[in-house]
Amino acid sequence: MLYLLAPPYQLHWTPQPESWIDLAKEHGTDLGQIDWAPAEEPHSPSIVVRLALRYGTECSRGIVLPAWTLSQAEKPV
């Protein structure tokens, strides 16, 4: 699963596998062209922005990040 952080702070998701990030980089494909759905689960904006800046990949609509980054950061300790 992938997340898209779009300005100003809109979080979207797609069920596509995380391997699509590497494939998009390799083939010069724009991940912003994928069908994205609004994320319904509440996520901490500060955590999402930090993770997107650290682990994300730019696209025409914002920053794409693998779902594991968010699930690991928001996992209860």
Side-chain angles (χ1 to χ4, degrees):
M1 183 165 68
L2 301 172
Y3 283 107
L4 167 67
L5 177 60
Y9 176 81
Q10 298 173 345
L11 192 61
H12 303 274
W13 76 280
T14 185
Q16 306 307 331
E18 296 172 6
S19 61
W20 278 35
I21 293 174
D22 294 330
L23 289 171
K25 288 179 186 176
E26 183 179 323
H27 297 285
T29 306
D30 179 18
L31 291 170
Q33 300 304 313
I34 297 173
D35 288 331
W36 295 93
E40 296 179 10
E41 290 184 37
H43 297 283
S44 168
S46 63
I47 290 174
V48 173
V49 170
R50 282 190 311 221
L51 292 172
L53 292 174
R54 183 167 185 176
Y55 297 105
T57 301
E58 66 180 271
C59 74
S60 63
R61 293 181 56 191
I63 303 173
V64 176
L65 64 150
W68 70 265
T69 58
L70 192 53
S71 64
Q72 289 295 317
E74 294 185 337
K75 185 190 308 186
V77 181

